[in-house]
Short mmCIF file of all heavy atoms in Angstrom, two decimals:
data_model
loop_
_atom_site.label_atom_id
_atom_site.label_comp_id
_atom_site.label_asym_id
_atom_site.label_seq_id
_atom_site.Cartn_x
_atom_site.Cartn_y
_atom_site.Cartn_z
N ARG A 1 -13.75 4.37 -0.49
CA ARG A 1 -14.86 5.01 0.19
C ARG A 1 -14.79 4.78 1.69
O ARG A 1 -15.09 5.69 2.46
CB ARG A 1 -16.19 4.47 -0.33
CG ARG A 1 -16.58 4.96 -1.65
CD ARG A 1 -17.91 4.36 -1.97
NE ARG A 1 -18.45 4.89 -3.16
CZ ARG A 1 -19.59 4.48 -3.68
NH1 ARG A 1 -20.28 3.53 -3.09
NH2 ARG A 1 -20.04 5.02 -4.77
N ILE A 2 -14.47 3.56 2.08
CA ILE A 2 -14.48 3.25 3.51
C ILE A 2 -13.39 4.03 4.25
O ILE A 2 -13.59 4.48 5.37
CB ILE A 2 -14.38 1.74 3.78
CG1 ILE A 2 -14.81 1.45 5.20
CG2 ILE A 2 -12.98 1.22 3.54
CD1 ILE A 2 -15.14 -0.01 5.44
N VAL A 3 -12.26 4.24 3.60
CA VAL A 3 -11.18 5.00 4.24
C VAL A 3 -11.62 6.45 4.43
O VAL A 3 -11.41 7.04 5.49
CB VAL A 3 -9.88 4.92 3.42
CG1 VAL A 3 -8.82 5.83 3.98
CG2 VAL A 3 -9.37 3.48 3.38
N ARG A 4 -12.24 7.02 3.43
CA ARG A 4 -12.72 8.40 3.56
C ARG A 4 -13.78 8.52 4.67
O ARG A 4 -13.78 9.47 5.44
CB ARG A 4 -13.30 8.88 2.24
CG ARG A 4 -12.25 9.18 1.23
CD ARG A 4 -12.88 9.90 0.07
NE ARG A 4 -12.32 9.34 -1.16
CZ ARG A 4 -12.84 9.49 -2.35
NH1 ARG A 4 -13.96 10.15 -2.50
NH2 ARG A 4 -12.26 8.98 -3.40
N LEU A 5 -14.66 7.54 4.74
CA LEU A 5 -15.69 7.54 5.77
C LEU A 5 -15.06 7.46 7.16
O LEU A 5 -15.43 8.22 8.06
CB LEU A 5 -16.65 6.36 5.57
CG LEU A 5 -17.73 6.18 6.63
CD1 LEU A 5 -18.71 7.35 6.60
CD2 LEU A 5 -18.45 4.87 6.43
N LEU A 6 -14.10 6.57 7.34
CA LEU A 6 -13.42 6.45 8.62
C LEU A 6 -12.65 7.72 8.98
O LEU A 6 -12.59 8.10 10.14
CB LEU A 6 -12.47 5.24 8.61
CG LEU A 6 -13.15 3.88 8.62
CD1 LEU A 6 -12.13 2.78 8.39
CD2 LEU A 6 -13.90 3.67 9.92
N CYS A 7 -12.06 8.35 7.99
CA CYS A 7 -11.35 9.61 8.24
C CYS A 7 -12.28 10.66 8.81
O CYS A 7 -11.92 11.38 9.74
CB CYS A 7 -10.70 10.12 6.95
SG CYS A 7 -9.24 9.19 6.46
N ARG A 8 -13.47 10.74 8.26
CA ARG A 8 -14.43 11.72 8.75
C ARG A 8 -14.96 11.36 10.14
O ARG A 8 -15.02 12.20 11.03
CB ARG A 8 -15.61 11.85 7.79
CG ARG A 8 -15.36 12.85 6.69
CD ARG A 8 -16.57 12.98 5.86
NE ARG A 8 -16.64 11.68 5.17
CZ ARG A 8 -17.51 11.35 4.25
NH1 ARG A 8 -18.41 12.20 3.89
NH2 ARG A 8 -17.50 10.19 3.67
N GLN A 9 -15.30 10.09 10.32
CA GLN A 9 -15.90 9.67 11.59
C GLN A 9 -14.91 9.68 12.75
O GLN A 9 -15.28 9.98 13.88
CB GLN A 9 -16.49 8.26 11.45
CG GLN A 9 -17.74 8.23 10.63
CD GLN A 9 -18.32 6.83 10.56
OE1 GLN A 9 -17.68 5.84 10.90
NE2 GLN A 9 -19.56 6.75 10.09
N LEU A 10 -13.66 9.35 12.47
CA LEU A 10 -12.67 9.22 13.54
C LEU A 10 -11.66 10.37 13.57
O LEU A 10 -10.66 10.30 14.28
CB LEU A 10 -11.93 7.89 13.40
CG LEU A 10 -12.82 6.65 13.42
CD1 LEU A 10 -12.02 5.40 13.13
CD2 LEU A 10 -13.54 6.54 14.76
N ASN A 11 -11.92 11.41 12.77
CA ASN A 11 -11.05 12.58 12.72
C ASN A 11 -9.59 12.19 12.41
O ASN A 11 -8.66 12.58 13.11
CB ASN A 11 -11.13 13.37 14.02
CG ASN A 11 -10.56 14.76 13.86
OD1 ASN A 11 -10.55 15.31 12.76
ND2 ASN A 11 -10.06 15.33 14.93
N ILE A 12 -9.40 11.42 11.36
CA ILE A 12 -8.08 10.96 10.93
C ILE A 12 -7.50 11.95 9.93
O ILE A 12 -8.20 12.41 9.02
CB ILE A 12 -8.19 9.56 10.29
CG1 ILE A 12 -8.64 8.55 11.34
CG2 ILE A 12 -6.87 9.14 9.68
CD1 ILE A 12 -8.98 7.19 10.77
N ASP A 13 -6.24 12.26 10.09
CA ASP A 13 -5.55 13.15 9.16
C ASP A 13 -5.38 12.42 7.83
O ASP A 13 -4.66 11.43 7.73
CB ASP A 13 -4.17 13.53 9.74
CG ASP A 13 -3.43 14.52 8.87
OD1 ASP A 13 -3.87 14.81 7.74
OD2 ASP A 13 -2.38 15.00 9.33
N GLN A 14 -6.03 12.90 6.79
CA GLN A 14 -6.00 12.23 5.48
C GLN A 14 -4.65 12.32 4.80
O GLN A 14 -4.41 11.64 3.81
CB GLN A 14 -7.10 12.80 4.59
CG GLN A 14 -8.47 12.45 5.11
CD GLN A 14 -9.56 12.86 4.15
OE1 GLN A 14 -9.36 12.91 2.95
NE2 GLN A 14 -10.75 13.12 4.68
N ASP A 15 -3.76 13.15 5.31
CA ASP A 15 -2.41 13.23 4.74
C ASP A 15 -1.45 12.26 5.41
O ASP A 15 -0.26 12.26 5.12
CB ASP A 15 -1.86 14.65 4.89
CG ASP A 15 -2.63 15.64 4.04
OD1 ASP A 15 -3.10 15.25 2.95
OD2 ASP A 15 -2.78 16.79 4.47
N ARG A 16 -1.95 11.44 6.33
CA ARG A 16 -1.10 10.51 7.07
C ARG A 16 -1.68 9.10 7.07
O ARG A 16 -1.75 8.44 8.10
CB ARG A 16 -0.94 10.97 8.51
CG ARG A 16 -0.20 12.26 8.64
CD ARG A 16 -0.20 12.69 10.06
NE ARG A 16 1.12 13.21 10.40
CZ ARG A 16 1.44 13.63 11.59
NH1 ARG A 16 0.59 13.54 12.58
NH2 ARG A 16 2.63 14.11 11.82
N ILE A 17 -2.10 8.62 5.94
CA ILE A 17 -2.64 7.27 5.84
C ILE A 17 -1.54 6.37 5.30
O ILE A 17 -1.04 6.56 4.20
CB ILE A 17 -3.89 7.23 4.94
CG1 ILE A 17 -4.96 8.12 5.55
CG2 ILE A 17 -4.37 5.80 4.77
CD1 ILE A 17 -6.20 8.25 4.71
N TYR A 18 -1.17 5.39 6.12
CA TYR A 18 -0.10 4.46 5.78
C TYR A 18 -0.68 3.06 5.62
O TYR A 18 -1.69 2.72 6.24
CB TYR A 18 0.97 4.46 6.88
CG TYR A 18 1.48 5.83 7.20
CD1 TYR A 18 1.00 6.54 8.29
CD2 TYR A 18 2.42 6.44 6.38
CE1 TYR A 18 1.45 7.82 8.58
CE2 TYR A 18 2.88 7.72 6.66
CZ TYR A 18 2.39 8.40 7.76
OH TYR A 18 2.84 9.66 8.03
N MET A 19 -0.01 2.26 4.83
CA MET A 19 -0.52 0.93 4.56
C MET A 19 0.59 -0.10 4.74
O MET A 19 1.74 0.14 4.37
CB MET A 19 -1.05 0.88 3.13
CG MET A 19 -1.68 -0.40 2.76
SD MET A 19 -2.54 -0.38 1.17
CE MET A 19 -1.55 0.69 0.18
N HIS A 20 0.22 -1.26 5.31
CA HIS A 20 1.15 -2.36 5.49
C HIS A 20 0.42 -3.66 5.18
O HIS A 20 -0.76 -3.79 5.44
CB HIS A 20 1.66 -2.41 6.94
CG HIS A 20 2.41 -3.66 7.26
ND1 HIS A 20 3.66 -3.91 6.75
CD2 HIS A 20 2.09 -4.73 8.01
CE1 HIS A 20 4.08 -5.09 7.19
NE2 HIS A 20 3.13 -5.59 7.97
N GLY A 21 1.14 -4.59 4.57
CA GLY A 21 0.55 -5.89 4.29
C GLY A 21 1.62 -6.97 4.27
O GLY A 21 2.77 -6.71 3.92
N LEU A 22 1.24 -8.16 4.67
CA LEU A 22 2.16 -9.30 4.73
C LEU A 22 1.71 -10.36 3.74
O LEU A 22 0.53 -10.72 3.70
CB LEU A 22 2.18 -9.87 6.15
CG LEU A 22 2.93 -11.17 6.37
CD1 LEU A 22 4.41 -11.00 6.07
CD2 LEU A 22 2.76 -11.66 7.80
N SER A 23 2.64 -10.87 2.94
CA SER A 23 2.40 -11.94 1.98
C SER A 23 1.36 -11.50 0.95
O SER A 23 1.60 -10.57 0.19
CB SER A 23 1.99 -13.22 2.70
OG SER A 23 2.01 -14.31 1.81
N LEU A 24 0.20 -12.13 0.93
CA LEU A 24 -0.83 -11.73 -0.02
C LEU A 24 -1.28 -10.30 0.26
O LEU A 24 -1.63 -9.55 -0.66
CB LEU A 24 -2.02 -12.69 0.05
CG LEU A 24 -3.08 -12.57 -1.02
CD1 LEU A 24 -2.48 -12.67 -2.41
CD2 LEU A 24 -4.14 -13.62 -0.84
N GLY A 25 -1.23 -9.90 1.53
CA GLY A 25 -1.53 -8.52 1.89
C GLY A 25 -0.49 -7.56 1.34
O GLY A 25 -0.79 -6.41 1.01
N GLY A 26 0.76 -8.02 1.24
CA GLY A 26 1.81 -7.21 0.63
C GLY A 26 1.54 -6.98 -0.85
O GLY A 26 1.78 -5.91 -1.39
N GLN A 27 1.03 -8.02 -1.49
CA GLN A 27 0.64 -7.88 -2.89
C GLN A 27 -0.52 -6.89 -3.01
O GLN A 27 -0.55 -6.07 -3.93
CB GLN A 27 0.22 -9.23 -3.45
CG GLN A 27 -0.16 -9.20 -4.91
CD GLN A 27 -0.53 -10.58 -5.43
OE1 GLN A 27 -0.48 -11.57 -4.71
NE2 GLN A 27 -0.91 -10.64 -6.68
N ALA A 28 -1.44 -6.95 -2.07
CA ALA A 28 -2.58 -6.02 -2.07
C ALA A 28 -2.13 -4.58 -1.87
O ALA A 28 -2.76 -3.65 -2.37
CB ALA A 28 -3.59 -6.42 -0.99
N VAL A 29 -1.03 -4.38 -1.13
CA VAL A 29 -0.48 -3.04 -0.96
C VAL A 29 -0.14 -2.44 -2.32
O VAL A 29 -0.53 -1.30 -2.62
CB VAL A 29 0.77 -3.06 -0.05
CG1 VAL A 29 1.53 -1.75 -0.13
CG2 VAL A 29 0.38 -3.34 1.38
N TYR A 30 0.56 -3.20 -3.14
CA TYR A 30 0.93 -2.70 -4.47
C TYR A 30 -0.31 -2.42 -5.32
O TYR A 30 -0.38 -1.41 -6.03
CB TYR A 30 1.84 -3.69 -5.19
CG TYR A 30 3.22 -3.77 -4.59
CD1 TYR A 30 3.63 -4.88 -3.88
CD2 TYR A 30 4.11 -2.71 -4.74
CE1 TYR A 30 4.90 -4.95 -3.33
CE2 TYR A 30 5.39 -2.77 -4.20
CZ TYR A 30 5.78 -3.89 -3.50
OH TYR A 30 7.03 -3.96 -2.95
N ARG A 31 -1.29 -3.28 -5.25
CA ARG A 31 -2.52 -3.06 -6.03
C ARG A 31 -3.28 -1.83 -5.54
O ARG A 31 -3.77 -1.05 -6.33
CB ARG A 31 -3.40 -4.29 -5.95
CG ARG A 31 -2.83 -5.43 -6.75
CD ARG A 31 -3.79 -6.56 -6.85
NE ARG A 31 -3.19 -7.63 -7.65
CZ ARG A 31 -3.71 -8.79 -7.84
NH1 ARG A 31 -4.87 -9.09 -7.29
NH2 ARG A 31 -3.11 -9.68 -8.58
N ALA A 32 -3.36 -1.68 -4.22
CA ALA A 32 -4.07 -0.52 -3.67
C ALA A 32 -3.36 0.78 -4.03
O ALA A 32 -4.00 1.79 -4.32
CB ALA A 32 -4.21 -0.65 -2.16
N LEU A 33 -2.03 0.76 -4.01
CA LEU A 33 -1.27 1.95 -4.40
C LEU A 33 -1.57 2.34 -5.84
O LEU A 33 -1.68 3.51 -6.17
CB LEU A 33 0.23 1.71 -4.23
CG LEU A 33 0.74 1.65 -2.79
CD1 LEU A 33 2.23 1.29 -2.79
CD2 LEU A 33 0.51 2.95 -2.06
N ASN A 34 -1.71 1.34 -6.70
CA ASN A 34 -2.03 1.62 -8.10
C ASN A 34 -3.45 2.13 -8.27
O ASN A 34 -3.71 2.95 -9.14
CB ASN A 34 -1.82 0.37 -8.95
CG ASN A 34 -0.41 0.25 -9.42
OD1 ASN A 34 -0.09 0.63 -10.53
ND2 ASN A 34 0.46 -0.24 -8.57
N MET A 35 -4.34 1.64 -7.44
CA MET A 35 -5.74 2.05 -7.57
C MET A 35 -6.01 3.43 -6.98
O MET A 35 -6.87 4.15 -7.46
CB MET A 35 -6.64 1.02 -6.89
CG MET A 35 -6.68 -0.31 -7.60
SD MET A 35 -7.58 -1.57 -6.69
CE MET A 35 -9.21 -0.86 -6.63
N ALA A 36 -5.28 3.78 -5.92
CA ALA A 36 -5.55 5.05 -5.22
C ALA A 36 -4.24 5.66 -4.74
O ALA A 36 -4.04 5.84 -3.54
CB ALA A 36 -6.50 4.83 -4.07
N ASP A 37 -3.35 5.99 -5.65
CA ASP A 37 -2.04 6.55 -5.27
C ASP A 37 -2.18 7.88 -4.55
O ASP A 37 -1.34 8.27 -3.78
CB ASP A 37 -1.12 6.67 -6.47
CG ASP A 37 -1.69 7.54 -7.57
OD1 ASP A 37 -2.92 7.74 -7.60
OD2 ASP A 37 -0.91 8.01 -8.40
N TRP A 38 -3.28 8.57 -4.74
CA TRP A 38 -3.53 9.86 -4.10
C TRP A 38 -3.91 9.72 -2.62
O TRP A 38 -3.88 10.68 -1.87
CB TRP A 38 -4.66 10.58 -4.82
CG TRP A 38 -5.85 9.69 -5.02
CD1 TRP A 38 -6.11 8.92 -6.11
CD2 TRP A 38 -6.91 9.44 -4.10
NE1 TRP A 38 -7.27 8.21 -5.93
CE2 TRP A 38 -7.78 8.51 -4.69
CE3 TRP A 38 -7.21 9.90 -2.83
CZ2 TRP A 38 -8.92 8.04 -4.07
CZ3 TRP A 38 -8.35 9.43 -2.21
CH2 TRP A 38 -9.19 8.52 -2.84
N LEU A 39 -4.25 8.50 -2.19
CA LEU A 39 -4.77 8.30 -0.85
C LEU A 39 -3.70 8.05 0.21
O LEU A 39 -3.84 8.46 1.35
CB LEU A 39 -5.75 7.12 -0.86
CG LEU A 39 -6.43 6.74 0.45
CD1 LEU A 39 -7.27 7.89 0.98
CD2 LEU A 39 -7.30 5.51 0.24
N PHE A 40 -2.61 7.40 -0.17
CA PHE A 40 -1.65 6.91 0.82
C PHE A 40 -0.40 7.79 0.91
O PHE A 40 0.15 8.21 -0.09
CB PHE A 40 -1.25 5.48 0.49
CG PHE A 40 -2.42 4.55 0.44
CD1 PHE A 40 -2.97 4.15 -0.75
CD2 PHE A 40 -3.00 4.11 1.62
CE1 PHE A 40 -4.07 3.31 -0.79
CE2 PHE A 40 -4.11 3.27 1.61
CZ PHE A 40 -4.64 2.87 0.40
N ALA A 41 0.04 8.01 2.15
CA ALA A 41 1.25 8.80 2.39
C ALA A 41 2.49 7.94 2.26
O ALA A 41 3.55 8.42 1.85
CB ALA A 41 1.19 9.44 3.77
N ALA A 42 2.39 6.66 2.60
CA ALA A 42 3.52 5.73 2.52
C ALA A 42 2.99 4.31 2.65
O ALA A 42 1.84 4.10 3.03
CB ALA A 42 4.54 6.01 3.63
N ALA A 43 3.86 3.34 2.32
CA ALA A 43 3.47 1.94 2.42
C ALA A 43 4.66 1.08 2.80
O ALA A 43 5.81 1.44 2.52
CB ALA A 43 2.88 1.47 1.09
N ALA A 44 4.36 -0.07 3.43
CA ALA A 44 5.41 -1.00 3.85
C ALA A 44 4.97 -2.43 3.60
O ALA A 44 4.51 -3.12 4.51
CB ALA A 44 5.75 -0.79 5.32
N PRO A 45 5.08 -2.91 2.35
CA PRO A 45 4.74 -4.31 2.09
C PRO A 45 5.82 -5.24 2.63
O PRO A 45 6.99 -4.88 2.65
CB PRO A 45 4.65 -4.37 0.57
CG PRO A 45 5.54 -3.29 0.09
CD PRO A 45 5.46 -2.21 1.13
N MET A 46 5.41 -6.42 3.08
CA MET A 46 6.36 -7.38 3.64
C MET A 46 6.12 -8.75 3.01
O MET A 46 5.00 -9.25 3.03
CB MET A 46 6.19 -7.46 5.15
CG MET A 46 7.16 -8.36 5.82
SD MET A 46 6.92 -8.22 7.61
CE MET A 46 8.14 -9.34 8.17
N SER A 47 7.18 -9.32 2.43
CA SER A 47 7.11 -10.63 1.79
C SER A 47 5.95 -10.71 0.80
O SER A 47 5.17 -11.66 0.80
CB SER A 47 7.00 -11.75 2.82
OG SER A 47 8.14 -11.78 3.63
N ALA A 48 5.82 -9.69 -0.03
CA ALA A 48 4.75 -9.65 -1.02
C ALA A 48 4.95 -10.78 -2.03
O ALA A 48 6.07 -11.08 -2.42
CB ALA A 48 4.75 -8.30 -1.74
N LEU A 49 3.86 -11.40 -2.41
CA LEU A 49 3.94 -12.47 -3.39
C LEU A 49 4.47 -11.94 -4.72
O LEU A 49 4.25 -10.79 -5.07
CB LEU A 49 2.56 -13.11 -3.60
CG LEU A 49 2.00 -13.82 -2.39
CD1 LEU A 49 0.62 -14.37 -2.70
CD2 LEU A 49 2.91 -14.96 -1.96
N ASN A 50 5.13 -12.79 -5.45
CA ASN A 50 5.80 -12.39 -6.69
C ASN A 50 4.89 -12.54 -7.90
O ASN A 50 5.29 -13.06 -8.92
CB ASN A 50 7.07 -13.23 -6.87
CG ASN A 50 7.98 -12.66 -7.93
OD1 ASN A 50 7.78 -11.55 -8.40
ND2 ASN A 50 8.97 -13.42 -8.32
N SER A 51 3.67 -12.10 -7.80
CA SER A 51 2.75 -12.21 -8.93
C SER A 51 1.91 -10.96 -9.09
O SER A 51 0.72 -11.03 -9.32
CB SER A 51 1.85 -13.43 -8.76
OG SER A 51 1.09 -13.30 -7.58
N VAL A 52 2.54 -9.84 -8.92
CA VAL A 52 1.83 -8.57 -9.04
C VAL A 52 1.86 -8.16 -10.51
O VAL A 52 2.75 -7.46 -10.95
CB VAL A 52 2.45 -7.48 -8.15
CG1 VAL A 52 1.63 -6.21 -8.23
CG2 VAL A 52 2.54 -7.96 -6.72
N SER A 53 0.89 -8.63 -11.27
CA SER A 53 0.85 -8.27 -12.68
C SER A 53 0.04 -7.00 -12.86
O SER A 53 -0.90 -6.74 -12.12
CB SER A 53 0.24 -9.40 -13.49
OG SER A 53 -1.07 -9.66 -13.05
N GLY A 54 0.41 -6.22 -13.81
CA GLY A 54 -0.31 -4.98 -14.09
C GLY A 54 0.06 -3.83 -13.17
O GLY A 54 -0.60 -2.81 -13.18
N THR A 55 1.10 -4.00 -12.37
CA THR A 55 1.50 -2.92 -11.47
C THR A 55 2.21 -1.83 -12.25
O THR A 55 3.13 -2.09 -12.99
CB THR A 55 2.43 -3.47 -10.37
OG1 THR A 55 1.75 -4.48 -9.65
CG2 THR A 55 2.83 -2.36 -9.41
N GLU A 56 1.76 -0.61 -12.07
CA GLU A 56 2.38 0.54 -12.72
C GLU A 56 3.24 1.24 -11.68
O GLU A 56 2.75 2.01 -10.86
CB GLU A 56 1.30 1.50 -13.24
CG GLU A 56 0.44 0.92 -14.33
CD GLU A 56 1.21 0.73 -15.63
OE1 GLU A 56 2.16 1.49 -15.87
OE2 GLU A 56 0.85 -0.17 -16.39
N TYR A 57 4.52 0.95 -11.69
CA TYR A 57 5.41 1.51 -10.67
C TYR A 57 5.64 3.01 -10.87
O TYR A 57 5.87 3.72 -9.90
CB TYR A 57 6.73 0.76 -10.66
CG TYR A 57 6.57 -0.68 -10.23
CD1 TYR A 57 6.60 -1.71 -11.16
CD2 TYR A 57 6.36 -1.00 -8.90
CE1 TYR A 57 6.43 -3.02 -10.76
CE2 TYR A 57 6.19 -2.31 -8.49
CZ TYR A 57 6.23 -3.32 -9.44
OH TYR A 57 6.05 -4.61 -9.05
N ASP A 58 5.54 3.48 -12.09
CA ASP A 58 5.73 4.92 -12.33
C ASP A 58 4.66 5.75 -11.63
O ASP A 58 4.92 6.85 -11.18
CB ASP A 58 5.72 5.22 -13.83
CG ASP A 58 6.94 4.69 -14.53
OD1 ASP A 58 7.95 4.39 -13.85
OD2 ASP A 58 6.90 4.54 -15.76
N SER A 59 3.45 5.22 -11.53
CA SER A 59 2.36 5.98 -10.95
C SER A 59 2.49 6.13 -9.43
O SER A 59 1.87 6.99 -8.85
CB SER A 59 1.02 5.34 -11.27
OG SER A 59 0.87 4.11 -10.59
N VAL A 60 3.31 5.30 -8.81
CA VAL A 60 3.47 5.37 -7.36
C VAL A 60 4.90 5.75 -6.97
O VAL A 60 5.30 5.58 -5.82
CB VAL A 60 3.07 4.03 -6.68
CG1 VAL A 60 1.62 3.74 -6.91
CG2 VAL A 60 3.94 2.89 -7.15
N SER A 61 5.64 6.29 -7.89
CA SER A 61 7.05 6.61 -7.62
C SER A 61 7.21 7.74 -6.61
O SER A 61 8.27 7.89 -6.03
CB SER A 61 7.78 6.95 -8.92
OG SER A 61 7.21 8.10 -9.52
N ASN A 62 6.17 8.52 -6.38
CA ASN A 62 6.25 9.63 -5.42
C ASN A 62 5.84 9.20 -4.00
O ASN A 62 5.89 10.01 -3.09
CB ASN A 62 5.37 10.79 -5.87
CG ASN A 62 3.92 10.39 -5.96
OD1 ASN A 62 3.59 9.23 -6.24
ND2 ASN A 62 3.04 11.33 -5.74
N ILE A 63 5.45 7.95 -3.81
CA ILE A 63 5.02 7.46 -2.50
C ILE A 63 6.18 6.74 -1.82
O ILE A 63 6.75 5.81 -2.40
CB ILE A 63 3.82 6.50 -2.64
CG1 ILE A 63 2.65 7.21 -3.30
CG2 ILE A 63 3.42 5.93 -1.28
CD1 ILE A 63 1.50 6.31 -3.64
N PRO A 64 6.57 7.14 -0.61
CA PRO A 64 7.63 6.43 0.10
C PRO A 64 7.23 4.97 0.33
O PRO A 64 6.12 4.68 0.78
CB PRO A 64 7.75 7.17 1.43
CG PRO A 64 7.18 8.52 1.15
CD PRO A 64 6.11 8.31 0.13
N LEU A 65 8.12 4.07 -0.03
CA LEU A 65 7.84 2.64 0.04
C LEU A 65 9.00 1.95 0.74
O LEU A 65 10.15 2.10 0.34
CB LEU A 65 7.67 2.10 -1.38
CG LEU A 65 7.26 0.65 -1.54
CD1 LEU A 65 5.84 0.46 -1.06
CD2 LEU A 65 7.37 0.26 -3.01
N TRP A 66 8.70 1.21 1.80
CA TRP A 66 9.72 0.47 2.53
C TRP A 66 9.33 -0.99 2.43
O TRP A 66 8.47 -1.47 3.16
CB TRP A 66 9.76 0.95 3.96
CG TRP A 66 10.99 0.56 4.72
CD1 TRP A 66 12.06 -0.13 4.24
CD2 TRP A 66 11.29 0.86 6.07
NE1 TRP A 66 13.00 -0.28 5.22
CE2 TRP A 66 12.55 0.31 6.36
CE3 TRP A 66 10.63 1.53 7.07
CZ2 TRP A 66 13.15 0.43 7.60
CZ3 TRP A 66 11.22 1.63 8.31
CH2 TRP A 66 12.46 1.10 8.56
N ALA A 67 9.97 -1.71 1.50
CA ALA A 67 9.62 -3.10 1.24
C ALA A 67 10.52 -4.03 2.05
O ALA A 67 11.74 -3.87 2.04
CB ALA A 67 9.74 -3.40 -0.25
N PHE A 68 9.91 -4.98 2.74
CA PHE A 68 10.64 -5.95 3.55
C PHE A 68 10.55 -7.33 2.91
O PHE A 68 9.54 -7.67 2.30
CB PHE A 68 10.04 -6.03 4.96
CG PHE A 68 10.18 -4.78 5.75
CD1 PHE A 68 9.23 -3.78 5.68
CD2 PHE A 68 11.28 -4.59 6.57
CE1 PHE A 68 9.35 -2.62 6.43
CE2 PHE A 68 11.42 -3.42 7.31
CZ PHE A 68 10.45 -2.45 7.23
N GLN A 69 11.59 -8.11 3.07
CA GLN A 69 11.60 -9.46 2.52
C GLN A 69 12.32 -10.39 3.49
O GLN A 69 13.42 -10.06 3.95
CB GLN A 69 12.31 -9.47 1.16
CG GLN A 69 12.14 -10.75 0.40
CD GLN A 69 10.70 -10.99 0.01
OE1 GLN A 69 10.01 -10.10 -0.46
NE2 GLN A 69 10.22 -12.18 0.21
N GLY A 70 11.76 -11.54 3.79
CA GLY A 70 12.40 -12.51 4.66
C GLY A 70 13.56 -13.19 3.96
O GLY A 70 13.50 -13.47 2.76
N GLY A 71 14.61 -13.47 4.68
CA GLY A 71 15.81 -14.07 4.11
C GLY A 71 15.58 -15.48 3.59
O GLY A 71 16.31 -15.95 2.70
N GLN A 72 14.59 -16.19 4.08
CA GLN A 72 14.34 -17.55 3.64
C GLN A 72 13.16 -17.65 2.68
O GLN A 72 12.75 -18.74 2.31
CB GLN A 72 14.11 -18.45 4.85
CG GLN A 72 15.33 -18.57 5.72
CD GLN A 72 15.09 -19.47 6.93
OE1 GLN A 72 13.99 -19.93 7.17
NE2 GLN A 72 16.16 -19.71 7.68
N ASP A 73 12.61 -16.52 2.29
CA ASP A 73 11.49 -16.52 1.36
C ASP A 73 11.98 -16.92 -0.01
O ASP A 73 12.91 -16.31 -0.55
CB ASP A 73 10.84 -15.13 1.32
CG ASP A 73 9.45 -15.15 0.76
OD1 ASP A 73 9.10 -16.11 0.05
OD2 ASP A 73 8.71 -14.20 1.01
N SER A 74 11.37 -17.91 -0.62
CA SER A 74 11.87 -18.44 -1.90
C SER A 74 11.41 -17.64 -3.11
O SER A 74 11.93 -17.82 -4.20
CB SER A 74 11.43 -19.90 -2.07
OG SER A 74 10.02 -19.98 -2.08
N GLU A 75 10.42 -16.77 -2.95
CA GLU A 75 9.93 -16.00 -4.09
C GLU A 75 9.87 -14.51 -3.75
O GLU A 75 8.80 -13.94 -3.63
CB GLU A 75 8.55 -16.47 -4.51
CG GLU A 75 8.56 -17.85 -5.10
CD GLU A 75 7.21 -18.18 -5.71
OE1 GLU A 75 6.59 -17.27 -6.31
OE2 GLU A 75 6.79 -19.32 -5.59
N PRO A 76 11.02 -13.86 -3.61
CA PRO A 76 10.99 -12.44 -3.28
C PRO A 76 10.41 -11.63 -4.42
O PRO A 76 10.50 -11.99 -5.58
CB PRO A 76 12.43 -12.08 -3.02
CG PRO A 76 13.21 -13.12 -3.72
CD PRO A 76 12.36 -14.36 -3.75
N MET A 77 9.84 -10.51 -4.05
CA MET A 77 9.23 -9.59 -5.02
C MET A 77 10.30 -8.92 -5.82
O MET A 77 11.30 -8.51 -5.40
CB MET A 77 8.40 -8.57 -4.25
CG MET A 77 7.70 -7.59 -5.06
SD MET A 77 6.38 -8.45 -5.87
CE MET A 77 5.79 -7.14 -6.87
#
């Protein structure tokens, strides 16, 4: 709801909403994609925690995803 409200108030192109998150925020990227795959044009999670249970990857297969991982991270996604 808040994204839709901001789109209206700030004249944001709803076809160009991108999402990025780091660590726990990276995990939230995957969850948000599953909850509202129709909302996001692309996503870039970074060093997402390795505990994303219940993620349906098939439902977000049409969304461009650029996942980043640090070379010294001990628990890559």
